[in-house]
Amino acid sequence: MQAVRWAARVACILGVVWSSSAQAGPRPFIWTFDTDIVPKGDVELEQWLWARSRSPGAPERPSAYWLWWAPVLGMSQHLELAIPFQVRATRGVTELDSFEADFRYRLFPRGDDRPFQPLVRAVWHQSVRGASPSRVDLDLVGSYQWESGLRVALDLGTQVGIPGLRGGDAPVRILGTYSVGASYPLIADELRLSVESLGEFGLKELDHDPRLFVGPSVAWTFGRMWLTAGTLVGLTFASSDTPRFMPRLIWAVAL
């Protein structure tokens, strides 16, 4: 009986130590990448559920839904790696869409508390569907946080599609993206309210009118878990091809 009591005490102590040391790294925005990364040696399981509704200019194009799932690994105090796969669904079909190797390199180490933080993101996106080519994504991200907790982030990106990988002479396609977000804590270290915008425009070999979205989100952190939810609304004055809504729900747990 004494041994059982000691085992219970040890289990409680280990549980407290584990729960206090494994803290989730919250993402305050649903589309704009931020500069926080997972600590070295830690792992998060992260999931995204998101959608694009129909656009007024293309009513024949169905709404689409994606499920993104990945372990996110803290490789060092500068680098994290996500290895996701993504499933896409429409009313008529559900299929494996892609898998990726997603590297996020923070120029200053995690734990550096200076207000401005830069990050570089590089992704190999291996497409499985025949309708979309494999591609390379590159992002330059910067964040700035004031003592009040107000945080802003700017994300400038490009997606370079490479149809020629499947054979043939199809040209390289390039899409440009930009997003900016502002986030303010309603409850310190627990609840944040954000607003952000996203822009997309074709740079090369893409019949892609510029698109512009804006919308709110809310982020909640609780222990080893965090959740961020919101939606972007398409501003159709930029293009009639802009989807009306792009909601996204992101949640993760630190192991």
Side-chain angles (χ1 to χ4, degrees):
M1 198 65 180
Q2 187 70 14
V4 172
R5 291 196 187 99
W6 274 107
R9 290 172 185 170
V10 171
C12 289
I13 293 171
L14 291 176
V16 169
V17 171
W18 180 68
S19 63
S20 62
S21 62
Q23 295 293 320
R27 185 191 299 276
F29 309 108
I30 57 171
W31 290 91
T32 306
F33 264 87
D34 201 6
T35 56
D36 282 340
I37 62 173
V38 174
K40 179 181 178 180
D42 283 6
V43 180
E44 280 189 2
L45 295 182
E46 188 173 329
Q47 299 86 39
W48 304 355
L49 179 62
W50 62 286
R52 284 197 177 199
S53 68
R54 294 185 180 187
S55 56
E60 74 286 351
R61 185 184 303 160
S63 298
Y65 307 86
W66 288 265
L67 173 63
W68 184 102
W69 186 94
V72 183
L73 315 174
M75 308 299 291
S76 74
Q77 292 296 78
H78 290 272
L79 177 67
E80 74 175 14
L81 168 64
I83 312 173
F85 70 86
Q86 189 164 233
V87 174
R88 178 180 181 272
T90 63
R91 179 176 296 181
V93 64
T94 299
E95 58 188 349
L96 179 62
D97 183 81
S98 63
F99 54 89
E100 298 177 347
D102 187 339
F103 297 88
R104 298 103 179 238
Y105 185 84
R106 177 174 154 132
L107 272 66
F108 302 136
R110 190 183 189 280
D112 186 303
D113 59 357
R114 70 189 73 188
F116 174 69
Q117 296 291 338
L119 177 141
V120 178
R121 176 174 176 256
V123 185
W124 172 255
H125 177 98
Q126 179 64 49
S127 178
V128 177
R129 291 193 306 130
S132 58
S134 297
R135 67 174 197 262
V136 174
D137 296 356
L138 297 172
D139 289 82
L140 299 177
V141 183
S143 69
Y144 192 95
Q145 182 162 321
W146 285 264
E147 291 184 2
S148 65
L150 175 64
R151 186 179 185 88
V152 296
L154 175 65
D155 179 355
L156 304 177
T158 184
Q159 300 177 1
V160 182
I162 313 174
L165 290 176
R166 294 197 175 104
D169 299 322
V172 171
R173 301 174 180 177
I174 304 178
L175 177 72
T177 64
Y178 59 93
S179 59
V180 60
S183 174
Y184 189 80
L186 300 180
I187 302 175
D189 300 322
E190 184 173 342
L191 186 66
R192 280 185 168 269
L193 184 64
S194 305
V195 63
E196 60 190 300
S197 65
L198 168 68
E200 301 176 342
F201 54 95
L203 288 174
K204 181 180 179 181
E205 302 295 339
L206 277 175
D207 184 16
H208 194 305
D209 292 330
R211 296 174 177 172
L212 183 61
F213 305 84
V214 296
S217 61
V218 61
W220 182 32
T221 303
F222 43 107
R224 299 188 304 276
M225 300 182 65
W226 59 264
L227 180 150
T228 305
T231 187
L232 296 185
V233 179
L235 302 182
T236 54
F237 69 80
S239 169
S240 62
D241 191 43
T242 304
R244 292 183 183 274
F245 299 102
M246 292 204 306
R248 178 175 278 182
L249 170 65
I250 309 174
W251 71 97
V253 58
L255 301 182

